[in-house]
Amino acid sequence: MSSTIREAELGTKVTPLPARAAANTPVALDHRIARNPGMKLDLGFMESMRSVNRSALERRVASLTKRRSIKADNQAAWLLRAVACMDLTTLNSNDTEERVRRLCAKAINPFRRDIMEGLGISGETIRPAAVCVYHPFVATAVDAVRGTGIHVAAVSTAFPHGLAPLTTRLQEIEASVKDGADEIDVVIPRGLVFGAKWRELYNEIVSMRAACGDAHLKVILGTGDLATLRNVMLASMVAMMAGADFIKTSTGKESVNATLPVGLAMVRAIRSYFEETGHLIGFKPAGGISTAKVSLDWLVLMKEELGRPWLEPELFRFGASSLLTDIERQLEHHLTGHYSANHRHAMA
């Protein structure tokens, strides 16, 4: 076994990856996704996933974005789906309670009335799946979106670097849950990946999952810091084995954030975990996704690689702040043939 995977106290053998079910097996669209219970850390299973062909992934991504062209009414429908799968986010050093309240107001009413009427969806409820904020603003966000069905996600565990003591990070999770957050976005210490300290990383995420209670756990890998797709693949597997409900690319604070090749490696890890365990894991790309065109590329990737169930907010989210504005502009262009200025689409 490779030294990348081996831990001194374990003599795990490489085990083949079984194919128990097709990854795109359909589920009812109103199905409540069962939480991932996790599994015992299986270094043999990880060993079977360690070989990642970057050039092949890049060719696959290039083929997806070139041959899947979505136009006209179909494009509008896909953009509305992108909004429904969005975590509308503000993670700035100058955030205030008023800014968070404005963000929540935008989440509740994401489109101008004339756009809704023009699209013929004025009677529909199309909103971002969640708002994502720092811990001090969780209670404000919970109060602002109460009764709307919009979730509140809190970034925790010494975001964005994850370098505080574990006890401190767990206390932050517990505090956010106590304030009403029902989704917790945690960040892993990247050094554990570089040191191949898989058991330590696994144990930390298990502790985070326990601290979340009923809140769903989204594990941020910080892929821009992990250097290789192999590290991305292995960190993804550890996070899912430890009980992550979602795996997420980035904090948005790295120099390189969500990219399609990295996303493809992560969704293939999700597919393999599903084939191994039967549990559906969500995926959240975040950082740098700011245009409607890019959001369509990600939706195509999910549809092609994992299937229709992963186009629902229970299994797919965008981490985004400015994406909603560009989508609203694209929808207005679809109706009028003209692009409007950003300031005509109020944001936080």
Side-chain angles (χ1 to χ4, degrees):
M1 184 185 298
S2 165
S3 59
T4 306
I5 304 298
R6 182 189 292 115
E7 292 187 354
E9 74 274 22
L10 295 176
T12 311
K13 295 182 179 179
V14 175
T15 54
L17 176 65
R20 296 179 183 169
N24 60 352
T25 301
V27 298
L29 298 185
D30 59 353
H31 174 63
R32 184 177 177 86
I33 303 300
R35 296 200 63 186
N36 173 29
M39 60 181 283
K40 183 179 178 181
L41 182 63
D42 186 343
L43 300 181
F45 183 27
M46 288 177 60
E47 174 70 11
S48 71
M49 300 297 299
R50 72 183 303 273
S51 298
V52 183
N53 187 328
R54 175 179 285 274
S55 61
L57 292 182
E58 291 173 345
R59 288 195 301 270
R60 171 62 171 161
V61 165
S63 71
L64 285 175
T65 56
K66 289 179 180 177
R67 65 188 176 88
R68 296 296 185 190
S69 180
I70 306 171
K71 302 294 185 183
D73 288 347
N74 287 331
Q75 183 182 94
W78 279 66
L79 291 177
L80 293 174
R81 171 58 49 180
V83 172
C85 293
M86 188 180 298
D87 282 2
L88 195 57
T89 303
T90 182
L91 297 173
N92 301 310
S93 59
N94 60 349
D95 282 344
T96 64
E97 290 187 358
E98 183 57 32
R99 178 192 293 269
V100 170
R101 280 191 286 267
R102 292 199 304 269
L103 183 82
C104 293
K106 182 65 174 178
I108 295 169
N109 294 291
F111 306 115
R112 293 202 324 264
R113 182 178 300 175
D114 60 307
I115 293 178
M116 297 282 285
E117 293 173 349
L119 293 172
I121 58 172
S122 55
E124 302 293 329
T125 301
I126 300 174
R127 294 168 172 162
V131 292
C132 185
V133 297
Y134 280 116
H135 166 70
F137 306 107
V138 168
T140 300
V142 169
D143 182 64
V145 301
R146 194 181 310 277
T148 65
I150 298 172
H151 298 285
V152 174
V155 292
S156 297
T157 60
F159 180 92
H161 304 299
L163 295 179
L166 179 60
T167 53
T168 301
R169 288 179 277 149
L170 296 179
Q171 288 169 357
E172 186 179 7
I173 293 173
E174 292 167 353
S176 293
V177 172
K178 183 178 180 180
D179 280 357
D182 57 356
E183 298 180 359
I184 302 293
D185 290 28
V186 305
V187 60
I188 64 169
R190 279 66 120 190
L192 296 182
V193 177
F194 291 129
K197 297 179 180 179
W198 306 119
R199 182 164 297 281
E200 185 176 346
L201 177 59
Y202 175 87
N203 289 339
E204 284 203 1
I205 298 174
V206 167
S207 298
M208 294 173 188
R209 165 64 188 273
C212 285
D214 292 334
H216 281 224
L217 174 65
K218 304 206 287 285
V219 177
I220 308 170
L221 305 183
T223 55
D225 292 339
L226 294 185
T228 68
L229 289 177
R230 177 178 296 168
N231 284 341
V232 170
M233 178 68 78
L234 297 176
S236 297
M237 295 306 304
V238 172
M240 291 185 289
M241 289 178 182
D245 296 297
F246 271 72
I247 52 175
K248 175 179 172 181
T249 59
S250 318
T251 64
K253 308 297 184 182
E254 295 94 13
S255 57
V256 177
N257 292 291
T259 65
L260 288 169
V262 163
L264 181 54
M266 292 175 70
V267 299
R268 288 188 171 176
I270 289 172
R271 184 170 65 192
S272 294
Y273 186 82
F274 172 64
E275 291 171 346
E276 174 73 7
T277 68
H279 298 299
L280 287 71
I281 308 300
F283 175 60
K284 179 179 174 180
I289 303 174
S290 58
T291 67
K293 181 180 183 302
V294 171
S295 74
L296 292 176
D297 290 341
W298 283 100
L299 289 173
V300 169
L301 172 66
M302 301 306 293
K303 176 65 169 61
E304 292 286 313
E305 288 289 322
L306 292 178
R308 179 63 180 83
W310 271 268
L311 294 184
E312 296 295 324
E314 290 81 7
L315 289 173
F316 181 66
R317 302 285 182 84
F318 290 107
S321 53
S322 57
L323 174 60
L324 180 55
T325 296
D326 194 61
I327 288 178
E328 195 175 8
R329 291 179 66 243
Q330 291 294 331
L331 292 174
E332 183 167 353
H333 179 268
H334 172 68
L335 294 172
T336 67
H338 302 286
Y339 284 107
S340 62
N342 282 3
H343 68 261
R344 296 191 65 239
H345 306 277
M347 198 62 189

